[in-house]
Amino acid sequence: MNTIEIDGSQGEGGGQILRTALSLSMCTGTPVRIHQIRARRPKPGLMRQHLVCVQAAQAVSGAEVQGAELGATELHFAPAAVRAGDHRFAIGTAGSCMLVLQTLLPALMLAEGESTLALAGGTHNPMAPNWHFVSRVFAPLLQRMGVTLETTLHRHGFYPAGGGEVDVRIVPAAGGPEPFSLLERGEARAAYAECLSPALPRRIADRELEVLGEALGWQGEALRNLPARQHEGPGNALMATLEHEHVTELFTSFGEKGVSADQVARRLAKVVFGYRAGGAPVGPHLADQLALPMALAVHRSGRPGAYLAGEMTEHAWTNLEVIRRFLPVDIQVGEHPHGWLVKVATALA
């Protein structure tokens, strides 16, 4: 089988190119060679969290791999058959273990049986989908495809300490995943804010919730200080969840040194205002996350799928380009009054 060549410097030039290429290589059984890995990052090449993604993909698929070492800028990955089962992967740093899940999920949701993953690392990272997003936003959409994704958080993990622990259960759809159309939010059902701030003074969380509540008009039970153990920090994540009939969206603002509680809250309020005003059901991060499972569902079923996104980030555009290299699907992205309409169909012969 011919090897697909992927330029890791294309588009946003980050780790998502590596992860999507590994996922699709496993799903299709196609060998892939990735060069200039993370070329657009300050420290190019494989960092610890990326290396664990490669090692996890190798363990699940029995792949032959060349170049799997820290700092490597070129990797050759030739998968065998994907094996459902029980797996355990630990990053050993605060790198996101949810990105390990992101790498393995597409292949395991197409596998012959149920799989479980025990993952350790970061669970709430600024540059990755956090555990709350995966469980609250992403998993219900996979369920619409017929795929069960259950996640259990045992311990939070923040940068720089890490130490998060998550168990995952993946049950493939009987008969294969089915695509769907997500073009409207539907009726608004709930909106609330939550703050995680382990090992930080309580006043920080209180202030973030107060400022966010004043900006968005939320109060009382809509402002929640989530329990977290001291040894899970220090860390700070302020989250806003908006539940609608057809979709739930979650947005996060992370605290960091030199950034005040007011700034953290106002930054999140701005994002929520933008989503509310836009009208599209799919936010910018979900638009990226949804692309690969939707394309796989279309490819396997032969039926079309679509979603309306308020924004298409460079990350999302790059992800679509990698998907097109592996799958015979036609992905059309067109401007829409509420953003961008992403339509996926089987490619014409």
Side-chain angles (χ1 to χ4, degrees):
M1 185 177 292
N2 292 335
T3 298
I4 292 179
E5 302 281 343
I6 298 292
D7 181 358
S9 70
Q10 65 179 296
E12 57 90 26
Q16 184 61 51
I17 296 172
L18 169 76
R19 290 186 293 272
T20 298
L22 290 172
S23 298
L24 286 167
S25 178
M26 289 188 286
C27 290
T28 62
T30 307
V32 63
R33 180 179 288 105
I34 312 165
H35 54 94
Q36 299 194 77
I37 295 172
R38 300 183 64 252
R40 293 178 181 264
R41 295 297 182 260
K43 294 182 179 180
L46 296 176
M47 296 184 70
R48 179 63 186 165
Q49 63 263 36
H50 310 106
L51 181 59
V52 174
C53 288
V54 175
Q55 294 168 338
Q58 181 180 24
V60 165
S61 69
E64 294 184 6
V65 182
Q66 298 173 6
E69 57 187 45
L70 289 174
T73 57
E74 183 168 322
L75 180 81
H76 183 263
F77 184 88
V82 172
R83 298 186 294 266
D86 303 328
H87 304 277
R88 181 179 298 272
F89 304 108
I91 293 180
T93 69
S96 174
C97 63
M98 306 314 295
L99 293 180
V100 178
L101 171 61
Q102 182 190 76
T103 304
L104 300 180
L105 176 61
L108 293 179
M109 78 180 209
L110 300 179
E112 292 298 322
E114 177 179 328
S115 295
T116 63
L117 304 174
L119 304 175
T123 61
H124 291 73
N125 300 62
M127 301 298 289
N130 63 48
W131 176 81
H132 284 87
F133 178 92
V134 172
S135 62
R136 193 174 291 168
V137 178
F138 194 57
L141 294 178
L142 286 182
Q143 191 67 58
R144 287 183 62 177
M145 294 182 177
V147 176
T148 298
L149 174 63
E150 297 175 351
T151 65
T152 303
L153 177 69
H154 296 290
R155 174 176 166 148
H156 297 90
F158 291 89
Y159 177 84
E165 298 176 0
V166 177
D167 285 340
V168 181
R169 176 172 173 256
I170 302 166
V171 183
E178 289 286 339
F180 58 82
S181 289
L182 180 54
L183 306 180
E184 297 179 349
R185 298 175 186 176
E187 177 187 355
R189 292 183 169 172
Y192 51 92
E194 298 161 302
C195 189
L196 285 165
S197 57
L200 295 177
R202 173 66 182 259
R203 58 180 170 77
I204 294 177
D206 290 344
R207 180 59 181 171
E208 288 178 353
L209 290 169
E210 178 187 3
V211 173
L212 185 65
E214 289 175 353
L216 299 178
W218 298 351
Q219 56 187 344
E221 289 299 312
L223 304 174
R224 307 169 186 177
N225 199 334
L226 295 181
R229 292 163 289 193
Q230 289 292 99
H231 68 275
E232 296 178 334
N236 178 217
L238 181 65
M239 301 176 289
T241 298
L242 295 95
E243 296 180 2
H244 291 82
E245 180 183 1
H246 304 308
V247 67
T248 293
E249 262 292 12
L250 183 148
F251 305 101
T252 306
S253 181
F254 287 90
E256 54 188 301
K257 287 184 178 180
V259 179
S260 71
D262 289 37
Q263 289 173 304
V264 171
R266 289 172 184 149
R267 187 166 55 194
L268 181 57
K270 182 179 179 180
V271 174
V272 174
F273 279 132
Y275 178 75
R276 279 176 164 178
V282 175
H285 301 304
L286 182 56
D288 185 19
Q289 300 292 315
L290 192 53
L292 180 49
M294 183 69 80
L296 286 170
V298 169
H299 172 54
R300 289 302 180 101
S301 70
R303 287 179 281 278
Y307 57 90
L308 180 58
E311 178 185 347
M312 290 289 289
T313 63
E314 187 175 24
H315 217 271
W317 289 111
T318 304
N319 207 21
L320 294 182
E321 285 304 312
V322 178
I323 293 170
R324 290 184 178 109
R325 296 293 306 279
F326 283 88
L327 297 178
V329 292
D330 179 33
I331 305 175
Q332 299 287 336
V333 183
E335 292 189 54
H336 184 277
H338 293 304
W340 299 89
L341 179 59
V342 181
K343 297 191 292 185
V344 188
T346 53
L348 297 176

